[in-house]
Amino acid sequence: MLTKYSLITKIKGCLRFPRSPVVLCDSWAHLLRTGTLKMRLLWELLVLHSVMVCLADDNTLHGPVFLQEPNSMIFPLDSEEKKVKLSCEVKGNPRPTIGWKLNGSSIDVGMDYRYSLVEGSLLINNPNKSQDAGTYQCVATNPFGTIVSREAKLQFAYLENFKTRTRSTVSVRQGQGMVLLCGPPPHSGELSYAWIFNEYPSFVHQDSRRFVSQETGNLYIAKVETSDVGNYTCVVTNTVTNSRVLGPPTPLVLRNDGVMGEYEPKIEVQFPETVPSAKGTTVKLECFALGNPVPTISWRRADGKQIPRKARRHRSSGLLEIPNFQQEDAGPYECVAENVRGKNVARGQLTFYAQPSWIQRIGDVHAAIEERVSWECRASGRPKPSYRWLKDGEPLLPQGRVQLEQGSLTIPNVSLSDAGMYQCVAENRHGVIFASAELSVIAIGPDFSKTLLKKLTLVKVGGDVIIECKPKASPRPTYSWKKGKDILRENERITVLDDGSLRIVNVTKSDAGSYTCVATNHFGTASSTGSLVVKDPTRVMVSPFSMDVTVGESIVLPCQVSHDHSLDIVFTWSFNGHLIDFEKDGDHFERVGGDSAGDLMIRSIQLKHAGKYVCMVQTSVDKLSAAADLIVRGPPGPPEAVTIDEVTDTTAQLSWRPGADNHSPITMYVVQARTPFSVGWQAVSTVPEIIDGRTFTATVVGLNPWVEYEFRVVAANLIGIGEPSRPSEKRRTEEALPEVTPANVSGGGGSKSELVITWETVPEELQNGGGFGYVVAFRPLGTVSWMQTVVASPDAARYVFRNESLPPFSPYEVKVGVYNNKGEGSFSPVTVVYSAEEEPTRAPTTVLARSLSASDVEVSWAPPWENQHKGRIQGYEVRCWQHDEKEENAKRIRTVGNQTSTKVSNLRGNALYHLAVRAYNTAGTGPSSAAVNVTTKKPPPSQPPGNIVWNSSDSKIILNWDQVKALDNESEVRGYKVLYRWNRQSSTSVIETNKTSVELSLPFDEDYIIEIKPFSDGGDGSSSEQIRIPKISNAYARGSGSSTSSACTLSALSTIMISLTARSSL
């Protein structure tokens, strides 16, 4: 008989759909209520379940899934909250119901008023440590099954008071080690310890002599001193509740029977022999020793490995802390306590453990009835986790069809009773983890609604075709086929495949028609029909053919076919196995031809276009291809492996291997060279002079000694010049005597008693060797013996010979030679250079200055008497500075030769200036004359002439303008300058007048440009705007201001009015 639970699984569809068959749902519900279910045939039950599964929406209906699971927690007993909440949030459709287990037993929330459920979470009011401490699990259930959450431990934290109120006095000798026991009271939760010395808040400071163990709470003093005498109180703090209690004080006194002598360390605090440590946690190891003198503490690994860098040492190394503990941190550790009397060692093993963590979870499975179902879950952990399985919250044991092996679960032939919620549980002694999944078992009759046969299938004559038949069905149906209305019989051409599809090979025209697939299982029969259409095959009529072309040419590869015109045809081309992208490669490739042709045009062929071309033709019933090879002839490829076999001072022996000839024989090679001093690559001379295509060695000649060269080779054939080879290695030619002498040897100048000799340096590429330098030779003109000196720097371009007896400005013959590591070269031609001269010793006399205008001053002077000074005079330097400026910032003007006056310009008007003059030559400047003063004239008028009017009569032009009046700070007007020129000339004529009119005799056949400006003692004033007077055909004309650009024809005495703002027309 079916149980109540299995009946519920059969009526899941009634819960899912408002539109489920009412009769069926009511029938099953009635059977469930009355308990009068009778035996029915298995297939009847499956039919009912299949109907409901077909109607189900698997995307919305599912079993329970945890969104939030409870976490372990420690609850402080003295908390004001007085409530504990264990969270649990679940989703599912239908909505799951939630229950709870404590230590494996179900909690009846209704039986204890302290328990309540808040949206699935368990709320415990007034929690009690004796009743409520334990392991909790959340249990979620809906019609699809049950799942249980991970385990959450509820613990209670508390700290009671010390039981005893007094402690005995501890009496020790000075220098002796001592331990004060804390003995914490009953508690739950992690504790921390400290000690008060005498009175709060004076706490014991931990250092190399004093240590408080956080494992036991005891206080250790390695060596007692007189300052340690007093009362000690242990302070215990619960880190969870933050509550604190104080133990009874322990008096410490010194004995009077002497001082303790020195003794070796005795380790009182040490870590266990085995310390299990969880992955990712912070591991703390304590070690402390008593001794006299106070021992030092050090740490090491007993296996010789280094202690991790992340490890930290605290409290004078009494505490070793290793954060983020990992597998590689595990191993044997040693604490060494040492003083002058000896040492002691404590050892322990850190072992690594890790709670289980999922590597592979299980996932939901939707299986057809009678299918094979297999799950595998895998978890990491140390020690290696073991596995167990739950179904609907209850342990699942291996039985009959259910096979369990570690993390694997297999059901070879699934049935409806196997549907439900499954959980894989991985656990080791450090933790437990759960993974959940739902198994849905589907049982339905064949259904083609979503997988109809293809309405129309096309195939060519002689081809093969498969008509797929894939209805949805569970269990798998049996298949049969019809052609038209007749049962289709299998033969050597016609086969029904295992998956129900129909295969026909070597198709003929008679195979065309309609085909029906019929699928049948226990739950029903269904069919679907499609048509097969047989077409004539496509044939290639003109195939592409192999060709031999030259770079730069254009060709067409033909590809023409005959085909059934009722079918669409597609041409594609591949090149060396890759499809040609006509958009991307449109510069070279183009499809040409009509409907039945897919010819390929290749324009401007390059070497890279050589290879295999395949024309591919495809219709909906067949595809075929035709290939051709394209050989491209072009300039040769780069030669390879250019090698320098031997070098001398001026030659290099090269060899190379030929590159690709690109289907045209190589006719010659050219060698090129490059140095750090050349501009790019240069062709070089070789032996043989012309290198033919069968020669792969050559000697480069005409090289410079001691220069670093690299070479490359370029090949050529009848088609063109190819790409150059990769450069050879760099090699330096051998040294040789220098041959090039310095150019432009000259000199002169310098300071007193100096002979300055200069030259142009020899370029590095012409120095012919290392250790390059210069030999400077000189002698007084007319003598025989040469004086020589060596200048060792190759970059030197100057030598100064100093001698107090050297006469000034005396001629010397000079030459400069060269040398290097190989020896001396030749000298430059002899040239004459003068020694340095003395600067002038006397100042110019009779310095006079007068103002020429507002901006110009003229200064004059008399040269020093020839018999009163030394030093040649090359010219004079005039210094000019304004009265309120510093002399060192003076403007300087130099004259050349015997000139004894000059003009200083660009000065400020109406300003006081000081001027001084001194002589100069190549040796420097002489003493300065006394300064003279001069005041520049007032600036010229700033107002230009206005109201300019002109008249023409009898070949004359008469100009009139208003008088210009100077401002108070400007020079008075002395007259006016009229400047005029032909429009097409650049030279200007000037007429001066002290009146405000002028008469000009000018021919009328030219345009004229006229300007008027005042002048004064301060110089020329501001000019009027340019006036343009056009050529005039009449004898009489009049105008004012600037003329327009066009000539005017006027009657007698007619007036031309011209805008003063028309300057842009000029």
Side-chain angles (χ1 to χ4, degrees):
M1 291 181 63
L2 292 176
T3 66
K4 181 178 180 180
Y5 173 76
S6 63
L7 181 58
I8 291 175
T9 63
K10 302 303 182 288
I11 62 172
K12 289 178 182 177
C14 296
L15 297 173
R16 299 179 185 179
F17 308 105
R19 295 182 181 179
S20 296
V22 176
V23 175
L24 293 176
C25 290
D26 288 346
S27 173
W28 283 109
H30 172 73
L31 291 172
L32 181 62
R33 288 193 302 269
T34 62
T36 57
L37 178 64
K38 295 182 179 179
M39 290 297 293
R40 294 174 179 261
L41 292 175
L42 175 60
W43 68 268
E44 291 177 304
L45 299 177
L46 296 178
V47 169
L48 176 60
H49 189 261
S50 301
V51 171
M52 293 186 287
V53 171
C54 288
L55 296 172
D57 182 356
D58 292 332
N59 291 327
T60 57
L61 296 169
H62 59 86
V65 176
F66 283 115
L67 300 177
Q68 184 179 10
E69 298 184 61
N71 292 313
S72 295
M73 63 184 299
I74 301 176
F75 180 77
L77 270 181
D78 57 358
S79 171
E80 295 179 359
E81 184 72 19
K82 300 302 180 186
K83 290 181 181 179
V84 171
K85 182 180 180 181
L86 296 170
S87 298
C88 182
E89 184 180 354
V90 186
K91 71 174 182 177
N93 193 4
R95 184 175 180 179
T97 59
I98 295 178
W100 284 84
K101 288 183 178 183
L102 171 58
N103 296 329
S105 300
S106 296
I107 298 175
D108 190 343
V109 176
M111 294 298 291
D112 192 335
Y113 71 94
R114 297 183 307 112
Y115 292 125
S116 59
L117 290 180
V118 180
E119 295 183 351
S121 298
L122 179 63
L123 193 64
I124 307 175
N125 292 291
N126 299 316
N128 182 288
K129 69 176 181 179
S130 60
Q131 297 179 21
D132 300 322
T135 302
Y136 288 79
Q137 282 182 289
C138 177
V139 183
T141 302
N142 77 357
F144 292 94
T146 300
I147 55 174
V148 295
S149 72
R150 66 187 174 206
E151 297 176 344
K153 289 185 178 180
L154 175 60
Q155 297 173 294
F156 291 85
Y158 59 91
L159 177 61
E160 297 182 5
N161 290 316
F162 282 87
K163 303 299 183 184
T164 59
R165 296 188 177 182
T166 60
R167 291 194 175 181
S168 302
T169 299
V170 177
S171 177
V172 297
R173 295 165 63 187
Q174 184 178 345
Q176 183 179 356
M178 180 210 67
V179 181
L180 294 182
L181 303 180
C182 178
H187 63 276
S188 175
E190 186 176 351
L191 302 181
S192 67
Y193 302 92
W195 284 78
I196 295 175
F197 179 54
N198 289 330
E199 293 183 357
Y200 179 83
S202 176
F203 286 92
V204 173
H205 174 69
Q206 298 186 65
D207 51 24
S208 60
R209 198 170 61 85
R210 292 168 292 191
F211 182 81
V212 177
S213 171
Q214 296 303 310
E215 297 292 335
T216 63
N218 298 338
L219 170 62
Y220 300 84
I221 300 179
K223 172 189 173 186
V224 174
E225 298 178 353
T226 56
S227 59
D228 295 325
V229 173
N231 290 321
Y232 289 84
T233 302
C234 181
V235 182
V236 182
T237 303
N238 190 310
T239 60
V240 179
T241 65
N242 287 325
S243 58
R244 175 186 295 180
V245 295
L246 276 64
T250 302
L252 173 67
V253 298
L254 290 180
R255 291 166 54 179
N256 54 12
D257 57 350
V259 177
M260 184 77 173
E262 294 184 350
Y263 62 96
E264 69 178 14
K266 178 184 179 183
I267 296 178
E268 288 288 342
V269 180
Q270 67 182 69
F271 51 98
E273 290 185 4
T274 302
V275 182
S277 304
K279 176 181 179 182
T281 60
T282 297
V283 178
K284 297 180 180 180
L285 302 179
E286 291 185 340
C287 182
F288 193 76
L290 311 182
N292 186 6
V294 175
T296 59
I297 304 296
S298 61
W299 294 86
R300 67 192 182 196
R301 284 188 58 146
D303 55 6
K305 296 180 180 178
Q306 293 294 321
I307 287 182
R309 287 188 177 182
K310 60 187 176 182
R312 299 187 290 265
R313 295 162 178 82
H314 302 285
R315 304 173 197 159
S316 299
S317 293
L319 175 66
L320 178 68
E321 186 175 278
I322 306 174
N324 191 24
F325 189 78
Q326 299 296 323
Q327 175 73 54
E328 61 269 17
D329 300 327
Y333 284 75
E334 290 183 342
C335 161
V336 181
E338 188 171 7
N339 65 11
V340 296
R341 306 299 298 180
K343 68 178 179 179
N344 208 338
V345 178
R347 296 180 177 86
Q349 182 84 15
L350 286 186
T351 59
F352 176 84
Y353 75 84
Q355 296 180 352
S357 176
W358 287 121
I359 299 173
Q360 179 178 328
R361 296 173 179 266
I362 57 176
D364 293 344
V365 173
H366 300 279
I369 195 168
E370 299 178 0
E371 278 188 355
R372 176 187 177 88
V373 171
S374 180
W375 268 311
E376 182 180 7
C377 60
R378 289 189 295 123
S380 62
R382 177 66 65 91
K384 187 176 180 180
S386 61
Y387 301 90
R388 54 190 172 89
W389 289 82
L390 306 177
K391 181 189 176 187
D392 293 325
E394 299 299 328
L396 185 64
L397 301 176
Q399 56 178 359
R401 295 179 305 102
V402 179
Q403 302 169 7
L404 300 179
E405 184 177 351
Q406 288 287 36
S408 297
L409 182 151
T410 303
I411 305 175
N413 193 12
V414 72
S415 68
L416 282 175
S417 62
D418 296 318
M421 298 299 300
Y422 288 78
Q423 288 180 283
C424 176
V425 184
E427 57 190 334
N428 62 18
R429 63 174 175 268
H430 303 294
V432 184
I433 54 176
F434 292 75
S436 305
E438 179 183 353
L439 174 58
S440 299
V441 180
I442 304 169
I444 58 174
D447 178 16
F448 283 98
S449 60
K450 294 183 179 179
T451 55
L452 290 171
L453 254 65
K454 191 175 179 181
K455 188 174 182 180
L456 187 66
T457 302
L458 300 177
V459 64
K460 69 175 181 178
V461 172
D464 299 344
V465 66
I466 294 178
I467 305 175
E468 291 186 342
C469 179
K470 294 184 177 180
K472 185 176 181 182
S474 179
R476 183 173 174 272
T478 59
Y479 300 94
S480 61
W481 283 82
K482 295 180 181 180
K483 181 181 180 186
K485 295 182 180 181
D486 299 326
I487 299 292
L488 190 62
R489 305 295 181 185
E490 294 188 65
N491 55 39
E492 65 276 5
R493 289 195 313 110
I494 300 173
T495 308
V496 177
L497 304 180
D498 290 342
D499 64 356
S501 300
L502 179 66
R503 181 183 182 191
I504 306 176
V505 300
N506 194 16
V507 174
T508 65
K509 287 281 189 178
S510 63
D511 292 323
S514 65
Y515 288 81
T516 301
C517 176
V518 182
T520 303
N521 69 6
H522 296 302
F523 309 119
T525 299
S527 63
S528 181
T529 302
S531 295
L532 179 66
V533 177
V534 181
K535 298 287 187 179
D536 290 324
T538 305
R539 292 184 174 86
V540 176
M541 307 306 292
V542 180
S543 298
F545 51 88
S546 298
M547 301 179 70
D548 189 329
V549 297
T550 301
V551 167
E553 292 181 352
S554 298
I555 62 167
V556 173
L557 293 176
C559 184
Q560 299 174 12
V561 300
S562 66
H563 67 100
D564 189 317
H565 289 280
S566 65
L567 301 176
D568 292 331
I569 188 167
V570 177
F571 290 89
T572 54
W573 283 83
S574 69
F575 169 50
N576 288 339
H578 300 283
L579 283 178
I580 295 175
D581 186 335
F582 288 97
E583 290 188 5
K584 181 180 177 182
D585 301 319
D587 292 343
H588 295 286
F589 297 110
E590 181 184 356
R591 267 275 320 278
V592 294
D595 293 339
S596 298
D599 299 347
L600 175 65
M601 174 180 283
I602 311 176
R603 297 193 191 89
S604 185
I605 290 176
Q606 305 298 311
L607 288 171
K608 63 181 180 180
H609 295 140
K612 186 172 186 177
Y613 289 81
V614 179
C615 173
M616 293 168 286
V617 186
Q618 184 169 359
T619 67
S620 54
V621 299
D622 59 0
K623 58 181 179 181
L624 61 162
S625 62
D629 292 319
L630 184 63
I631 297 174
V632 180
R633 302 184 186 277
E640 300 173 354
V642 177
T643 305
I644 304 174
D645 299 322
E646 183 181 353
V647 293
T648 67
D649 56 349
T650 59
T651 66
Q653 180 72 37
L654 304 182
S655 62
W656 61 89
R657 294 201 306 267
D661 64 4
N662 291 327
H663 307 289
S664 179
I666 297 172
T667 56
M668 67 177 296
Y669 292 98
V670 175
V671 179
Q672 298 176 337
R674 180 171 65 180
T675 72
F677 317 106
S678 64
V679 180
W681 291 91
Q682 308 289 334
V684 292
S685 300
T686 59
V687 175
E689 184 176 355
I690 298 176
I691 308 169
D692 63 42
R694 296 181 301 276
T695 301
F696 310 123
T697 61
T699 301
V700 182
V701 297
L703 304 179
N704 289 329
W706 200 240
V707 172
E708 189 176 65
Y709 284 89
E710 55 183 336
F711 301 93
R712 71 182 187 184
V713 181
V714 182
N717 59 18
L718 294 177
I719 296 174
I721 299 174
E723 292 292 320
S725 69
R726 294 175 62 86
S728 69
E729 63 175 334
K730 294 180 180 179
R731 288 278 294 275
R732 189 185 287 273
T733 50
E734 295 182 353
E735 295 179 303
L737 286 173
E739 297 177 354
V740 177
T741 60
N744 294 328
V745 177
S746 61
S751 301
K752 182 181 178 181
S753 302
E754 289 184 348
L755 174 63
V756 179
I757 302 170
T758 61
W759 61 89
E760 289 185 5
T761 57
V762 175
E764 184 180 347
E765 64 268 31
L766 301 178
Q767 293 174 3
N768 288 10
F772 184 84
Y774 300 94
V775 179
V776 181
F778 54 93
R779 65 185 178 186
L781 185 64
T783 61
V784 176
S785 299
W786 291 91
M787 288 181 283
Q788 289 190 355
T789 186
V790 173
V791 181
S793 171
D795 299 322
R798 186 172 186 264
Y799 171 72
V800 178
F801 174 69
R802 294 180 179 87
N803 193 317
E804 293 297 331
S805 63
L806 202 66
F809 207 65
S810 299
Y812 281 79
E813 288 184 311
V814 173
K815 61 182 180 180
V816 181
V818 290
Y819 71 92
N820 64 15
N821 291 337
K822 299 292 285 186
E824 293 187 14
S826 56
F827 280 91
S828 67
V830 176
T831 186
V832 176
V833 174
Y834 282 83
S835 62
E837 55 187 338
E838 292 181 308
E839 63 271 9
T841 58
R842 294 283 184 175
T845 61
T846 319
V847 178
L848 300 173
R850 66 186 183 93
S851 176
L852 300 179
S853 67
S855 60
D856 299 327
V857 168
E858 183 183 62
V859 60
S860 63
W861 60 90
W865 293 99
E866 292 187 6
N867 57 354
Q868 291 182 348
H869 76 90
K870 297 180 181 179
R872 182 173 62 99
I873 295 177
Q874 285 185 289
Y876 296 90
E877 181 182 85
V878 178
R879 291 178 297 129
C880 176
W881 67 97
Q882 202 169 331
H883 181 67
D884 56 358
E885 294 178 343
K886 294 182 179 180
E887 183 177 353
E888 54 264 27
N889 296 329
K891 175 187 286 190
R892 287 173 168 79
I893 300 99
R894 281 197 169 190
T895 66
V896 179
N898 296 326
Q899 181 180 342
T900 57
S901 66
T902 189
K903 185 169 72 172
V904 183
S905 301
N906 299 321
L907 304 179
R908 289 177 56 186
N910 198 26
L912 175 62
Y913 283 90
H914 305 287
L915 297 102
V917 184
R918 57 186 176 183
Y920 73 86
N921 60 19
T922 58
T925 55
S928 178
S929 69
V932 296
N933 302 331
V934 64
T935 300
T936 54
K937 295 182 178 180
K938 291 182 179 181
S942 57
Q943 183 68 29
N947 198 21
I948 301 173
V949 177
W950 61 269
N951 296 284
S952 64
S953 176
D954 296 333
S955 300
K956 294 180 180 180
I957 296 176
I958 301 171
L959 293 165
N960 291 277
W961 59 89
D962 290 345
Q963 183 177 353
V964 176
K965 293 183 179 181
L967 302 177
D968 291 342
N969 61 342
E970 295 177 343
S971 302
E972 291 295 329
V973 176
R974 291 176 48 205
Y976 300 90
K977 292 182 180 180
V978 179
L979 297 81
Y980 62 92
R981 61 179 174 86
W982 288 357
N983 191 22
R984 293 180 295 173
Q985 288 186 340
S986 58
S987 60
T988 302
S989 300
V990 180
I991 295 177
E992 291 188 6
T993 178
N994 56 6
K995 300 179 181 180
T996 58
S997 65
V998 71
E999 183 178 287
L1000 302 175
S1001 297
L1002 301 173
F1004 284 158
D1005 58 350
E1006 290 291 344
D1007 292 349
Y1008 282 89
I1009 304 298
I1010 296 177
E1011 294 180 55
I1012 304 172
K1013 59 184 175 182
F1015 66 87
S1016 67
D1017 289 342
D1020 292 344
S1022 299
S1023 175
S1024 69
E1025 294 196 9
Q1026 291 183 343
I1027 304 164
R1028 181 171 178 272
I1029 301 178
K1031 59 183 179 180
I1032 301 171
S1033 59
N1034 294 61
Y1036 301 96
R1038 177 179 299 171
S1040 64
S1042 298
S1043 160
T1044 60
S1045 61
S1046 60
C1048 302
T1049 302
L1050 305 172
S1051 60
L1053 301 178
S1054 63
T1055 302
I1056 303 173
M1057 298 302 297
I1058 305 167
S1059 170
L1060 288 169
T1061 61
R1063 177 183 290 234
S1064 63
S1065 65
L1066 297 178

